Amino acid sequence: MEWSSTLSWLMSLLLLLICSGNSEEYAVRLSLVGFLQVLSGNDTGIIEKLGWSAATDPCTDGWNGVTCNNRTSSVYKIKLEELGLRGTIDAGRLCQAPSLAAVSLLHNAIRGEIPPEISDCGRLTHLYLGGNSLAGSLPPSLTLLGNLKVLDVSDNDFSGELPDLAKISGLVGFLAQNNRLHGTIPSFRFGNFDRRRFNVSNNLFAGPIPPGGDRLDQTSFIGNPGLCGKPLPVACPPSPSKEDHKSLKLSREKAIMFSGYIALGLVLFLFVTYKLIHRKKRTKHRKIADEKIASDGSSGKSSIPWSSTEASATATSSLIVLKRPGTMTDLKFDDLLKAPAESLGRGRNGSLYKVTMADGTSLAVKRIRDCGTSAAEFRRRMERMDMARHPNVLPAVAFHCSTQEKLVVYEYQRNGSLLSLLQGRQLDCVAFDWSYRLRVAAGVAEGLAAMHRELLADGIGHGNLKSSNILLTNVMDPCISEYGLVADSRSVEKAGGGSAVAAADVHAFGIILLELLTGKPVRNEPSELARWVNSVVREEWTVEVFDEALVSGGASEGGMVQLLQVALRCVHPSPAARPSMDHVAAMVNTVREEEDERSEVSEP
Ligand SMILES: *[C@@H]1O[C@H](CO)[C@@H](O)[C@H](O)[C@H]1NC(C)=O
Ligand SMILES: *[C@@H]1O[C@H](CO)[C@@H](O)[C@H](O)[C@H]1NC(C)=O
Ligand SMILES: *[C@@H]1O[C@H](CO)[C@@H](O)[C@H](O)[C@H]1NC(C)=O
């Protein structure tokens, strides 16, 4: 008895050693087999028939329904259609496969809901769940799948309202016909959709069809009794009369006024209390901070070097924490001030510090050199930006502003930046290959386009986009940081409001595309790289500009040339001739989609 258990333990150890070679990790295989177990309702017959077993390799041992990326030997696509599967979806296990891009479970009898953990499949581009018995509402976390292109939930038993899938800027297909979904239809960018890949017919949707819907066929919308507007033959009722508007506005004004009084009272009360309690503490802190700087000099770890006027002002002007579920809501300015800080660099518009808090979390703190923005204006911008979020844009955790000092606090991203990838400093955690570069390009384009849509009306662009500001999340997704921190509102107004900021950002994005294509990080002057590329292209030596690693890695020349053309339009010398970020994002997505299809993630 004991013998056999020791033996089996040794066997599994051996197996683990053998299997943890080049192929998909043992843990991933185990998860995938578990996923199929749950999906089939423990139907060992099906599992055997498909040949899935943790002891074999999905790529080389031919698991049925699995497609691998030959180069990286990782599972790319899972297609289990019409197999009579009658279990549930275990997204937690499914999403353990790190490169998974397409999942099709069409026409089975799968039950249960779509679990919220589906958002862990960050690389998913195609998700087909049509023709099953899935129910419940679509989880809001679906909107976190920033790379999603096609979502098919048709012919199920889904109910509830749709999450705001329009947030996924690359979405080109949404099929949800024949369910019991209700509520209104989000403002999809119908311009991107193929006519046959949008369908919400036979549900319980109501309200007006969003603008652009008239490009689609009316059969995409039929069978929803409450839906109105083009392309349906039912016109929408006129919007509420002016009278209604007025009274609504009045009562809202009153409400705002009263809440204003209450808030003012509260602030005064808190201020007085705070002063009384912290009078002693404050002087003590200032001393500590000053001593630290004095003893530690400029290098190594000390706390953030405050101007001395600031240190005394800090007690009254505190940190504004932007509330988000699950993050640092109890961050205190005092703690930030006391924590050890390490300088990460100094740029044109300020310095960056890594601050390690007492509980071990790391924060990145940007200290902005005075840029002529008033504290009130800065605060307004920060709060405005906090309302516009995108998975490819790093949100601020908190900020602090006073006349002398402006600070913005982010979560520290330990995987470095696109610049560090370009400089070849961390090649072991990701293949910096063509498909990854396209993923970075598309992610940044989508994030920037989304922020532009939300914020350009207020004249807020990025203002300082460069590869060192593109950070990499823990799943190596690109994430734009420092959005909107450079504000020179006066020059913006002179140069024609949002459009000038936008054109500058588009130019900066074009430079990033050139860096990705050439593999050459910009040194000093961004336009140098653009000039060089332009001169080579004029001489018709286009292929010469591409990164050798890409050419030898088997990237398609057609795709690279297409992306180069997008880049060259972005860096056009005349700002007015540059395309909008929305347009750029659509073009980059098209390139990426064609390349995806080329490398086998085709439609099931
Ligand atoms: C499948 O098997 C696992 C353990 O092997 C068990 O926990 C689970 O309840 C089973 N599920 C079904 C649907 O039978
Ligand atoms: C991947 O490898 C398999 C088997 O070796 C082959 O049939 C398939 O064509 C390859 N796919 C690509 C895209 O090279
Ligand atoms: C949408 O789905 C309905 C119901 O299945 C179908 O009749 C209609 O033709 C579809 N429309 C389009 C544009 O695919």
Side-chain angles (χ1 to χ4, degrees):
M1 192 62 197
E2 236 177 43
W3 244 108
S4 67
S5 77
T6 318
L7 200 67
S8 73
W9 183 82
L10 272 175
M11 286 282 282
S12 52
L13 187 74
L14 198 67
L15 206 67
L16 212 116
L17 287 176
I18 295 169
C19 299
S20 56
N22 221 345
S23 52
E24 197 68 277
E25 301 262 346
Y26 183 71
V28 172
R29 300 185 224 162
L30 210 56
S31 291
L32 287 177
V33 172
F35 160 76
L36 184 58
Q37 261 166 7
V38 175
L39 193 70
S40 64
N42 287 350
D43 185 337
T44 39
I46 288 187
I47 301 170
E48 269 167 32
K49 200 178 91 191
L50 292 171
W52 290 30
S53 148
T56 59
D57 185 74
C59 302
T60 54
D61 298 324
W63 289 17
N64 282 311
V66 170
T67 310
C68 288
N69 178 330
N70 281 357
R71 248 178 309 121
T72 58
S73 301
S74 51
V75 174
Y76 209 36
K77 174 174 166 185
I78 291 180
K79 179 172 164 182
L80 301 169
E81 296 172 1
E82 298 179 54
L83 293 166
L85 301 168
R86 44 187 62 252
T88 57
I89 299 174
D90 184 343
R93 286 208 174 101
L94 176 68
C95 298
Q96 295 295 313
S99 311
L100 197 60
V103 173
S104 176
L105 308 175
L106 291 173
H107 308 298
N108 284 291
I110 300 164
R111 298 167 297 113
E113 305 193 354
I114 301 181
E117 297 83 37
I118 193 73
S119 61
D120 295 344
C121 288
R123 291 203 180 181
L124 215 52
T125 57
H126 296 75
L127 181 58
Y128 297 90
L129 302 173
N132 281 292
S133 306
L134 291 161
S137 49
L138 301 182
S141 66
L142 276 173
T143 62
L144 299 175
L145 290 171
N147 292 316
L148 201 62
K149 297 202 177 86
V150 181
L151 176 63
D152 179 353
V153 295
S154 61
D155 301 290
N156 276 291
D157 204 19
F158 287 114
S159 54
E161 295 190 16
L162 285 188
D164 189 6
L165 296 166
K167 272 198 233 161
I168 308 175
S169 61
L171 203 66
V172 295
F174 178 61
L175 298 171
Q177 65 268 30
N178 306 326
N179 282 289
R180 289 182 296 120
L181 294 160
H182 66 86
T184 55
I185 295 177
S187 315
F188 287 108
R189 291 198 284 168
F190 290 114
N192 293 349
F193 283 74
D194 185 274
R195 276 167 158 271
R196 272 160 318 153
R197 288 210 279 184
F198 184 87
N199 202 333
V200 293
S201 63
N202 303 330
N203 277 290
L204 303 165
F205 287 114
I209 291 171
D214 53 350
R215 296 186 61 242
L216 301 173
D217 204 79
Q218 94 177 43
T219 63
S220 293
F221 296 99
I222 49 170
N224 288 286
L227 216 52
C228 63
K230 281 183 175 169
L232 291 177
V234 195
C236 291
S239 50
S241 69
K242 277 198 182 133
E243 224 70 331
D244 290 348
H245 261 310
K246 234 185 205 164
S247 62
L248 206 71
K249 219 169 135 194
L250 264 179
S251 64
R252 255 176 65 189
E253 261 167 19
K254 259 185 203 160
I256 289 171
M257 203 167 75
F258 284 127
S259 59
Y261 286 145
I262 293 170
L264 197 69
L266 208 64
V267 166
L268 271 173
F269 172 75
L270 285 177
F271 178 75
V272 171
T273 327
Y274 190 85
K275 272 232 144 179
L276 285 177
I277 295 174
H278 281 254
R279 184 171 284 163
K280 275 195 186 143
K281 231 179 167 181
R282 188 179 71 208
T283 43
K284 208 167 111 199
H285 282 166
R286 180 174 30 170
K287 252 189 213 146
I288 293 171
D290 284 352
E291 271 164 21
K292 263 190 186 161
I293 298 162
S295 68
D296 219 317
S298 58
S299 68
K301 295 195 175 182
S302 67
S303 46
I304 299 177
W306 306 95
S307 48
S308 55
T309 46
E310 189 56 27
S312 55
T314 49
T316 54
S317 53
S318 62
L319 195 67
I320 296 160
V321 175
L322 297 160
K323 291 250 176 342
R324 265 190 310 151
T327 52
M328 322 239 20
T329 42
D330 54 349
L331 187 64
K332 300 266 184 346
F333 194 50
D334 268 356
D335 298 339
L336 196 66
L337 193 70
K338 280 185 291 182
E342 186 185 340
S343 171
L344 293 180
R346 188 178 281 257
R348 195 152 41 91
N349 61 324
S351 312
L352 189 66
Y353 300 90
K354 177 184 175 185
V355 177
T356 310
M357 305 300 288
D359 65 354
T361 52
S362 299
L363 300 170
V365 178
K366 178 86 182 182
R367 184 185 185 198
I368 300 162
R369 213 166 283 150
D370 201 336
C371 49
T373 323
S374 71
E377 164 68 10
F378 184 74
R379 181 179 178 149
R380 192 190 64 80
R381 281 171 72 93
M382 289 306 298
E383 282 170 349
R384 182 70 192 81
M385 282 193 285
D386 191 49
M387 294 194 299
R389 290 214 168 125
H390 189 273
N392 293 112
V393 181
L394 189 66
V397 175
F399 66 94
H400 157 86
C401 53
S402 65
T403 344
Q404 295 91 354
E405 196 90 56
K406 295 181 183 65
L407 293 179
V408 183
V409 182
Y410 297 101
E411 269 172 39
Y412 179 72
Q413 305 294 316
R414 60 194 72 251
N415 278 341
S417 67
L418 177 58
L419 180 65
S420 56
L421 274 187
L422 284 163
Q423 293 170 337
R425 278 196 270 130
Q426 35 163 242
L427 278 177
D428 40 344
C429 51
V430 67
F432 194 40
D433 60 5
W434 177 227
S435 84
Y436 182 70
R437 292 190 207 198
L438 274 175
R439 178 174 148 210
V440 170
V444 174
E446 279 165 15
L448 197 57
M451 296 302 269
H452 275 188
R453 273 200 301 282
E454 287 279 329
L455 297 171
L456 276 187
D458 296 329
I460 308 178
H462 188 292
N464 190 24
L465 190 69
K466 51 188 180 183
S467 51
S468 60
N469 279 342
I470 311 291
L471 303 183
L472 304 167
T473 66
N474 48 6
V475 292
M476 297 303 281
D477 273 332
C479 198
I480 303 170
S481 78
E482 302 196 7
Y483 191 98
L485 299 193
V486 184
D488 193 350
S489 44
R490 283 155 303 174
S491 72
V492 166
E493 270 158 33
K494 242 188 273 161
S499 62
V501 196
D505 280 357
V506 170
H507 186 275
F509 177 73
I511 296 291
I512 287 175
L513 286 185
L514 291 180
E515 289 181 301
L516 287 169
L517 284 165
T518 61
K520 295 187 203 317
V522 162
R523 294 247 152 64
N524 306 313
E525 191 37 51
S527 38
E528 251 168 50
L529 181 62
R531 262 199 302 278
W532 173 70
V533 169
N534 262 314
S535 69
V536 178
V537 170
R538 255 200 311 278
E539 303 290 331
E540 301 194 350
W541 288 108
T542 306
V543 184
E544 301 280 298
V545 304
F546 297 130
D547 190 351
E548 256 170 52
L550 285 181
V551 179
S552 61
S556 81
E557 197 184 313
M560 290 193 292
V561 169
Q562 252 180 301
L563 196 65
L564 181 66
Q565 278 159 355
V566 178
L568 292 179
R569 289 185 64 183
C570 292
V571 298
H572 196 286
S574 155
R578 295 174 200 152
S580 73
M581 216 38 234
D582 247 341
H583 190 187
V584 174
M587 290 189 287
V588 174
N589 265 317
T590 307
V591 178
R592 189 178 182 212
E593 194 159 353
E594 286 173 10
E595 293 294 286
D596 274 357
E597 253 148 45
R598 209 181 59 86
S599 61
E600 239 185 352
V601 188
S602 50
E603 304 289 305

